[in-house]
Amino acid sequence: MNNDFSLNDLFPVMEEVLNSGGEFKMISGGTSMLPMLRDKKDTVVLIKNPSKLKKGDVPLYKRCDGSFVLHRVVKVKDDVYTMRGDNHYVSEYPVYNDQIIAILTAYIKNGKRIECSGFKYKLYSFYVINFLPLRFILKKGRKLISKIKHKIFKKSA
């Protein structure tokens, strides 16, 4: 028996829970928020969207194509947001306030609830926004250097 539901199916229930001031919990899906959220293993805890997001917040929003996304705010300018998954190096812009449905307030990993207001989480968020993109640049640089070395040694052999 398949117990998978699309977010479109769950949206009316989610909206009702959020509008009543409750928390909506669901299993995360996808790899864009690795290493924080693991695909189909961790539970996200969402609350109603505050009026304004700040850098580091992780909102659930709906793209113009109808898909739902949970990514981190990496930049705020005039109530327009730039979003990026923790496991991505390409940002998404623009995301408007009317696209935001909810915000991550906590997540449950290995049975332990981790609050997004805690010091360790905020430190992780700061690292992801400011330093993780360097990981992708360094990785690309290492691949390029490896290709160049391979070509040089191949020609000299």
Side-chain angles (χ1 to χ4, degrees):
M1 184 170 147
N2 185 355
N3 289 331
D4 289 341
F5 295 95
S6 78
L7 218 40
N8 280 320
D9 295 336
L10 293 174
F11 188 69
V13 175
M14 179 193 305
E15 204 169 35
E16 187 176 322
V17 169
L18 295 172
N19 287 336
S20 70
E23 293 181 337
F24 187 82
K25 296 177 186 173
M26 65 182 189
I27 303 294
S28 63
T31 59
S32 68
M33 289 301 289
L34 282 170
M36 186 176 85
L37 298 174
R38 299 167 302 171
D39 184 31
K40 296 183 178 69
K41 289 186 178 180
D42 300 321
T43 301
V44 296
V45 181
L46 303 166
I47 60 170
K48 188 170 176 70
N49 171 34
S51 58
K52 185 169 175 139
L53 299 175
K54 60 189 180 310
K55 190 175 179 179
D57 286 341
V58 180
L60 175 69
Y61 61 97
K62 194 171 187 176
R63 288 182 174 147
C64 296
D65 67 4
S67 60
F68 292 89
V69 183
L70 188 73
H71 280 172
R72 189 176 305 280
V73 177
V74 294
K75 189 174 185 182
V76 179
K77 185 176 180 184
D78 301 326
D79 292 333
V80 180
Y81 306 104
T82 302
M83 307 290 196
R84 185 174 57 233
D86 290 355
N87 196 31
H88 290 171
Y89 61 92
V90 176
S91 297
E92 182 174 352
Y93 176 86
V95 175
Y96 299 99
N97 216 36
D98 63 350
Q99 292 175 264
I100 309 297
I101 297 162
I103 185 171
L104 184 74
T105 190
Y107 59 98
I108 301 166
K109 189 174 208 161
N110 299 326
K112 183 180 176 189
R113 182 177 170 123
I114 299 154
E115 299 293 331
C116 295
S117 58
F119 176 75
K120 285 183 181 178
Y121 174 82
K122 288 186 179 199
L123 189 62
Y124 169 81
S125 181
F126 178 82
Y127 165 76
V128 166
I129 292 169
N130 296 294
F131 298 108
L132 200 59
L134 292 174
R135 180 183 104 194
F136 294 107
I137 293 167
L138 293 172
K139 189 175 180 181
K140 293 272 186 193
R142 281 194 304 263
K143 282 184 180 180
L144 180 62
I145 290 168
S146 178
K147 282 182 182 180
I148 291 169
K149 280 183 182 177
H150 180 72
K151 285 186 179 189
I152 289 171
F153 290 118
K154 189 176 178 182
K155 286 182 181 180
S156 63

